Amino acid sequence: PRGLFLRPRTPGAAVVSLRLAAARASVEAYYEQPYAHFKMGSYALKRAKILKDTGTDPTPTLKEALDRFEDAFKLSTSGNDELDMQVIYTTVALALKLGDQQKAASYLGAFTRMRNERVAASLDSGRTIAIIDKWSDRAQRLWEDRDRPDLFTNE
């Protein structure tokens, strides 16, 4: 059906839809479903982008996203290394965006700890180490550029 997407959603309707999705994800989190906290953080990031695009300060919503991604890191049961590393990277990026360099540095250290644990336990064939290195390198580049005023210009 061609006509399903002809009417664009207003920013307000999009925010309400994302809040509803986050409510569903919070129920999933209550029942300890994998990825629930990641979903809540992602929905908050999408809401923050809409708010920014409409001229509203997204800072409270970015703080909410940071809290959700920290929960995702602490409570992860996904077993998905790629997603876990993305969560750490996103947490570093949000902490830097919000000016919390201490928190960003702490999460940067998580990459090193996880990599060292995997190497010491000989639990890896190289794939997980490569995933950790990929996301760690990205986060390290953010850290190195943290003082650039245009770091988050194209977010």
Side-chain angles (χ1 to χ4, degrees):
R2 288 179 1 124
L4 290 178
F5 300 105
L6 292 180
R7 292 184 306 165
R9 196 181 315 187
T10 65
V15 167
V16 169
S17 177
L18 288 166
R19 285 188 187 281
L20 181 61
R24 185 200 69 235
S26 70
V27 171
E28 292 173 4
Y30 177 80
Y31 288 103
E32 299 178 3
Q33 296 298 305
Y35 314 114
H37 294 282
F38 176 80
K39 288 179 189 178
M40 288 188 290
S42 296
Y43 296 144
L45 274 181
K46 289 177 185 179
R47 284 193 349 259
K49 174 71 170 131
I50 292 168
L51 293 172
K52 180 180 179 255
D53 290 348
T54 59
T56 304
D57 179 20
T59 303
T61 308
L62 290 172
K63 288 179 181 176
E64 177 188 339
L66 178 59
D67 290 344
R68 298 295 72 80
F69 281 111
E70 285 185 288
D71 290 344
F73 175 73
K74 293 172 189 168
L75 304 171
S76 176
T77 58
S78 73
N80 182 332
D81 291 322
E82 184 81 34
L83 185 69
D84 290 342
M85 298 308 115
Q86 185 179 350
V87 165
I88 298 171
Y89 169 82
T90 305
T91 304
V92 169
L94 283 168
L96 287 174
K97 169 76 175 164
L98 294 168
D100 192 342
Q101 291 187 9
Q102 184 177 3
K103 184 175 284 188
S106 172
Y107 278 92
L108 268 175
F111 284 117
T112 304
R113 286 189 301 278
M114 293 177 86
R115 187 181 201 288
N116 291 342
E117 287 171 6
R118 296 290 183 2
V119 169
S122 299
L123 295 174
D124 185 62
S125 62
R127 182 182 179 283
T128 301
I129 299 299
I131 290 169
I132 293 171
D133 289 346
K134 175 180 87 172
W135 288 102
S136 176
D137 290 347
R138 289 178 181 180
Q140 189 63 40
R141 283 193 298 275
L142 278 180
W143 178 259
E144 291 167 359
D145 292 340
R146 68 189 176 277
D147 294 326
R148 283 185 37 210
D150 64 339
L151 180 61
F152 293 102
T153 300
N154 296 323
E155 59 203 18

